[in-house]
Amino acid sequence: MAKIEAYIPIVGASVIDDLRLIAERLKGKLIQHINSTAVGGGVAEILNCMVPLLKELGVDTRWDLIKGGEQFFEVTKKLHNVLHGRPGEVTDEDLEVFMQTSRKNIEEVETYGDIVFIHDPQPIALVNKKGAGKDNKWIWRCHIDVSNPRQKAWRFLREFVVKYDAAVFSAPSFAQRLPIRQFLISPSIDPLSDKNKELPQETIDAVLKKYNIVRDKPIITQVSRFDRLKDPIGVIEAYQQVKRYNDCQLILAGGTAADDPEGAKVLAEVREKAKTDPDIHILLLPQNDIEVNALQRASDVIVQKSIKEGFGLTVAEGLWKAKPVVASNIGGIPLQIKHKYSGLLCHSIEGAAFSIKQFLNSPEYAKKLGENGREHIRNSFLITRHLRDYMLLFLSLYHPEDIVYL
Ligand code: UDP
């Protein structure tokens, strides 16, 4: 893992000095993150960068996982979907499955941190341990777009949320009416991680070769778990519309997350849709950050045509690589893409196809928006800004009456 000084050439020395000063004030506090998976998806991605950096700054930080079986993760996936406002609703039986596993985790997971930092709905019920034994502070970090949740699911979760000392959301539109303090903190990417660091051309070429991708026509790429909310079928349809005018190829690169039971089904639908088109490359990547990095760097256009998105780390990853990005105008994506300045926002398959063609036909325009995107990410969405926000949040819990500006 990169030493904190290594960020100085990217963000400037004063940013790192600030981090050190704030970290000093957290000496003696133990921060405990808890979520449901160590790999796959944005939460694990961020914690893998965040935890070692906090430690390096001298803030004692640990990361624990809850456990759950197949049935539990089916229910939490359903919860995830309906909190995003997708059709359907959780049943009483679903909630009972959720509570059964939660009760087991409440018994088995030790919440020893001075600050217990719970990520997303899966471990939310651990807060029932609050006040039993250790006098710790509890934060619920919501990574989901809950601007328009199904009511039964949200009412169920809300019972837990109100027990926390604070809640954190990714974008202003996700904030909820709650009797606890709320913070708006956007996620971030680590510019020095394997996922985002500069790569030699030979590495990029080797990855393309490994997957039999020849660079004889432009490459359009979406990197995402195989999840309907990422709309991989819509991406194929957009590509097919583009291909009538511009010969090109599509990479759909994804893995599955340990807490996502739907992945295999969606992957089968995607394979069926792609049929035998030799220009569609469906890559089931093992957890391999260098390969994702190389594929993003090899791309002419990056797409993120999600139907719902908490933040959309892949957008930041694409922009940081100065790529022209076409992405849906939903969730946290418009925080990252100012339309026609740092990328193009779309609202439909046709819109996505139109924007991809625009980039393919105007390389100078594509280059300019990619460069603007990189600077926007540098200013607002790198891990150093995120570390600062989290540390100020931790401090604010010990000063509830003060206003803390994040
Ligand atoms: N990712 C990956 N391999 C994959 C699919 C996704 O490494 O096969 C990474 C992707 O690069 C990004 C994260 O997983 O860093 C996904 O975060 P995002 O916010 O885009 O979506 P989420 O999966 O959290 O909904």
Side-chain angles (χ1 to χ4, degrees), residues 1 15 33 47 112 124 141 180 195 223 249 302 311 323 342 350 356 389:
M1 174 51 62
V15 169
H33 290 276
L47 287 176
Y112 51 81
I124 198 169
R141 203 313 176 202
I180 59 170
K195 177 72 60 70
V223 174
Q249 50 190 331
I302 298 279
F311 180 70
K323 295 292 167 183
S342 56
E350 290 69 27
I356 294 168
D389 285 355

CSV table of all heavy atoms in Angstrom, one decimal, residues 1 15 33 47 112 124 141 180 195 223 249 302 311 323 342 350 356 389:
chain,number,residue,atom,x,y,z
A,1,MET,N,0.9,-1.2,0.0
A,1,MET,CA,0.0,0.0,0.0
A,1,MET,C,0.9,1.2,0.0
A,1,MET,O,1.9,1.3,0.7
A,1,MET,CB,-0.9,-0.1,1.2
A,1,MET,CG,-1.8,1.2,1.5
A,1,MET,SD,-2.8,1.8,0.1
A,1,MET,CE,-3.8,0.4,-0.3
A,15,VAL,N,-2.7,19.3,1.6
A,15,VAL,CA,-3.8,18.4,1.9
A,15,VAL,C,-3.3,17.3,2.8
A,15,VAL,O,-4.0,16.9,3.8
A,15,VAL,CB,-4.2,17.7,0.5
A,15,VAL,CG1,-5.2,16.6,0.7
A,15,VAL,CG2,-4.9,18.8,-0.3
A,33,HIS,N,-14.9,-0.7,11.3
A,33,HIS,CA,-15.8,-0.8,10.2
A,33,HIS,C,-16.5,-2.2,10.1
A,33,HIS,O,-15.8,-3.2,10.4
A,33,HIS,CB,-15.1,-0.6,8.8
A,33,HIS,CG,-14.6,0.8,8.6
A,33,HIS,ND1,-15.4,1.8,8.1
A,33,HIS,CD2,-13.4,1.4,8.9
A,33,HIS,CE1,-14.7,2.9,8.0
A,33,HIS,NE2,-13.5,2.7,8.5
A,47,LEU,N,-13.2,0.3,1.4
A,47,LEU,CA,-12.6,-0.1,2.6
A,47,LEU,C,-11.2,-0.6,2.5
A,47,LEU,O,-10.3,-0.4,3.3
A,47,LEU,CB,-13.5,-1.1,3.4
A,47,LEU,CG,-14.8,-0.5,3.9
A,47,LEU,CD1,-15.7,-1.5,4.6
A,47,LEU,CD2,-14.5,0.6,5.0
A,112,TYR,N,-16.4,-3.7,19.4
A,112,TYR,CA,-15.4,-3.2,20.3
A,112,TYR,C,-14.9,-1.8,20.0
A,112,TYR,O,-14.2,-1.2,20.8
A,112,TYR,CB,-14.2,-4.2,20.4
A,112,TYR,CG,-13.6,-4.5,19.0
A,112,TYR,CD1,-12.8,-3.6,18.4
A,112,TYR,CD2,-14.0,-5.6,18.3
A,112,TYR,CE1,-12.3,-3.8,17.1
A,112,TYR,CE2,-13.6,-5.9,17.0
A,112,TYR,CZ,-12.7,-5.0,16.4
A,112,TYR,OH,-12.3,-5.2,15.1
A,124,ILE,N,-27.1,-3.7,9.6
A,124,ILE,CA,-27.7,-2.5,10.3
A,124,ILE,C,-28.2,-2.9,11.7
A,124,ILE,O,-28.1,-2.0,12.6
A,124,ILE,CB,-28.8,-1.9,9.4
A,124,ILE,CG1,-29.1,-0.5,9.9
A,124,ILE,CG2,-30.1,-2.7,9.4
A,124,ILE,CD1,-30.0,0.3,9.0
A,141,ARG,N,-23.6,4.1,7.5
A,141,ARG,CA,-23.2,4.6,6.3
A,141,ARG,C,-24.0,4.0,5.2
A,141,ARG,O,-23.9,2.8,4.9
A,141,ARG,CB,-21.7,4.3,6.1
A,141,ARG,CG,-20.9,5.2,5.1
A,141,ARG,CD,-21.5,5.5,3.9
A,141,ARG,NE,-20.7,6.4,3.1
A,141,ARG,CZ,-21.2,7.1,2.1
A,141,ARG,NH1,-22.5,7.1,1.8
A,141,ARG,NH2,-20.4,7.9,1.4
A,180,ILE,N,-31.7,12.0,13.7
A,180,ILE,CA,-30.3,12.0,14.1
A,180,ILE,C,-29.5,12.8,13.1
A,180,ILE,O,-30.1,13.3,12.1
A,180,ILE,CB,-29.8,10.5,14.0
A,180,ILE,CG1,-30.0,9.9,12.6
A,180,ILE,CG2,-30.4,9.7,15.1
A,180,ILE,CD1,-29.3,8.6,12.4
A,195,LYS,N,-6.1,-0.5,-9.1
A,195,LYS,CA,-7.3,-0.2,-10.0
A,195,LYS,C,-7.0,1.1,-10.7
A,195,LYS,O,-7.6,1.2,-11.8
A,195,LYS,CB,-8.5,-0.2,-9.1
A,195,LYS,CG,-9.8,0.2,-9.7
A,195,LYS,CD,-10.4,-0.9,-10.6
A,195,LYS,CE,-10.7,-2.2,-9.9
A,195,LYS,NZ,-11.8,-2.1,-8.9
A,223,VAL,N,-17.7,-1.7,-16.9
A,223,VAL,CA,-17.2,-2.6,-15.8
A,223,VAL,C,-18.3,-2.5,-14.7
A,223,VAL,O,-18.5,-1.5,-14.2
A,223,VAL,CB,-15.8,-2.1,-15.2
A,223,VAL,CG1,-15.5,-3.0,-14.0
A,223,VAL,CG2,-14.7,-2.1,-16.3
A,249,GLN,N,-16.3,-2.3,-30.8
A,249,GLN,CA,-16.5,-3.5,-30.0
A,249,GLN,C,-16.9,-3.1,-28.6
A,249,GLN,O,-16.6,-2.0,-28.1
A,249,GLN,CB,-15.3,-4.4,-30.1
A,249,GLN,CG,-14.0,-3.7,-29.8
A,249,GLN,CD,-12.8,-4.6,-30.1
A,249,GLN,OE1,-12.8,-5.8,-30.0
A,249,GLN,NE2,-11.6,-3.9,-30.5
A,302,ILE,N,-16.0,4.9,-22.0
A,302,ILE,CA,-16.4,4.2,-20.8
A,302,ILE,C,-17.9,4.5,-20.7
A,302,ILE,O,-18.3,5.6,-20.8
A,302,ILE,CB,-15.7,4.6,-19.6
A,302,ILE,CG1,-14.2,4.3,-19.7
A,302,ILE,CG2,-16.3,4.0,-18.3
A,302,ILE,CD1,-13.7,3.0,-19.4
A,311,PHE,N,-23.4,5.7,-6.0
A,311,PHE,CA,-22.4,6.7,-6.4
A,311,PHE,C,-21.9,6.4,-7.8
A,311,PHE,O,-22.0,7.2,-8.7
A,311,PHE,CB,-21.3,6.8,-5.4
A,311,PHE,CG,-20.2,7.8,-5.8
A,311,PHE,CD1,-20.5,9.2,-5.7
A,311,PHE,CD2,-19.0,7.4,-6.2
A,311,PHE,CE1,-19.5,10.1,-6.1
A,311,PHE,CE2,-18.0,8.3,-6.6
A,311,PHE,CZ,-18.3,9.7,-6.5
A,323,LYS,N,-10.8,9.3,-19.5
A,323,LYS,CA,-11.6,8.7,-20.6
A,323,LYS,C,-12.9,9.5,-20.7
A,323,LYS,O,-13.5,10.0,-19.8
A,323,LYS,CB,-11.9,7.3,-20.2
A,323,LYS,CG,-10.7,6.4,-20.2
A,323,LYS,CD,-10.1,6.2,-21.5
A,323,LYS,CE,-8.7,5.6,-21.5
A,323,LYS,NZ,-8.1,5.5,-22.8
A,342,SER,N,-17.6,17.4,-18.2
A,342,SER,CA,-16.7,16.3,-17.7
A,342,SER,C,-17.3,14.9,-18.1
A,342,SER,O,-17.0,13.9,-17.5
A,342,SER,CB,-16.5,16.4,-16.2
A,342,SER,OG,-17.7,16.3,-15.5
A,350,GLU,N,-31.2,5.0,-26.3
A,350,GLU,CA,-31.0,5.9,-27.5
A,350,GLU,C,-30.0,7.0,-27.1
A,350,GLU,O,-29.1,7.3,-27.9
A,350,GLU,CB,-32.3,6.5,-28.0
A,350,GLU,CG,-33.3,5.5,-28.7
A,350,GLU,CD,-33.9,4.5,-27.6
A,350,GLU,OE1,-34.0,4.9,-26.4
A,350,GLU,OE2,-34.2,3.4,-28.0
A,356,ILE,N,-22.3,8.0,-27.3
A,356,ILE,CA,-21.2,7.2,-27.6
A,356,ILE,C,-20.7,7.6,-29.0
A,356,ILE,O,-19.5,7.8,-29.3
A,356,ILE,CB,-21.5,5.7,-27.5
A,356,ILE,CG1,-21.8,5.3,-26.1
A,356,ILE,CG2,-20.3,4.8,-28.1
A,356,ILE,CD1,-22.4,3.9,-25.9
A,389,ASP,N,-13.0,13.9,5.3
A,389,ASP,CA,-14.4,14.0,5.7
A,389,ASP,C,-14.7,13.0,6.8
A,389,ASP,O,-15.4,13.3,7.7
A,389,ASP,CB,-15.3,13.6,4.4
A,389,ASP,CG,-15.3,14.8,3.5
A,389,ASP,OD1,-14.8,15.9,3.7
A,389,ASP,OD2,-16.0,14.6,2.4
